[in-house]
Structure formats: C-alpha cells, structure tokens
Amino acid sequence: MWYSVLIPHLCLSICILFMRKGFFFFRNWYPFFVLFFYVLAPIPLAVAKRYTEGTAGSSAPLDVAIFLVACLMVSAFGLPIILARVEVIQWGAAGLVISGNIVIYLTMFAYFIMFSNEDVDYSMW
C-alpha cells in the first residue's frame, strides 16, 4: 500500500524535473504557467464524483466534468506549443513541458482509475 502514495509523488517529481530542465536550459519562466492547469484539472472531476456517488452509469455532472477536464488538458498541451510558435519560448522547452504534461496527466488518470472503484479488495495489493 505504500507505493500507492509513492508512485504519484515520483511522477510529480519527474514532471517538475522536466519543467525545471526547461527553465535551466532555456532561461524562461513561461513554461511554468502550465502549473495552473495541473492544479485546476482534477477539481471538476473530484466535485462531480462527489455529487454522483449513488448513480450508476453516466450522469450530467460527470459528463460536464469530463468535458472541462478535457478542455484543461488540451489547454495544457496547447500553451507551450503556442508559446513556442510565437517564439516566446524555444521548441526544446516546449518539448520538455509537453513531456511533463504526459507524465502528470497519465498519473492523474491512473489515480482516478485506481481509486474510483469503492469495491476494491486491498488484499490484492
């Protein structure tokens, strides 16, 4: 059970490492604006899961939350590309930020999949 806490922290530190490399190699703080998307992305889904506890299948709040999370994820991937396209940051920094995006959003996806089922048998861990 200890690794259910350790693995998300490891993935978060890898993401921050990619972003720090983007800063140190290219001397630009603009890629750090995607941190706002990292903070905002899980909030709609967490709120929707709170209000759809008893319903089976799909529900309107859950569908809206998934749409909002998808919009935030596309924005997090699009921001470094747009910043690199207008030459505010270099393409190498954009690549490092996109690599960090992949790591952090896969971690969030795995977290919600792993802990969304309440009938989990913890003896299988």
Side-chain angles (χ1 to χ4, degrees):
M1 196 65 189
W2 58 272
Y3 51 85
S4 66
V5 174
L6 181 67
I7 291 173
H9 285 96
L10 177 67
C11 292
L12 181 65
S13 64
I14 289 171
C15 172
I16 298 299
L17 175 72
F18 281 133
M19 295 191 63
R20 287 186 59 194
K21 281 186 178 187
F23 165 70
F24 288 124
F25 290 154
F26 302 104
R27 297 288 182 214
N28 202 338
W29 280 97
Y30 288 114
F32 277 94
F33 282 122
V34 296
L35 290 176
F36 293 118
F37 296 117
Y38 296 163
V39 172
L40 294 176
I43 293 173
L45 196 56
V47 170
K49 289 226 183 234
R50 172 101 173 147
Y51 288 112
T52 59
E53 286 290 325
T55 61
S58 181
S59 67
L62 189 61
D63 290 341
V64 170
I66 290 171
F67 175 75
L68 290 174
V69 169
C71 289
L72 289 169
M73 286 177 62
V74 168
S75 299
F77 281 99
L79 180 67
I81 293 171
I82 291 171
L83 289 176
R85 181 83 174 138
V86 296
E87 298 178 357
V88 173
I89 64 173
Q90 294 178 1
W91 281 102
L96 287 169
V97 171
I98 290 171
S99 301
N101 284 345
I102 291 170
V103 170
I104 197 71
Y105 284 121
L106 284 177
T107 303
M108 286 182 195
F109 177 72
Y111 176 79
F112 277 110
I113 292 297
M114 185 183 303
F115 294 112
S116 66
N117 189 4
E118 294 187 11
D119 298 331
V120 175
D121 183 20
Y122 290 108
S123 64
M124 71 179 194
W125 297 94

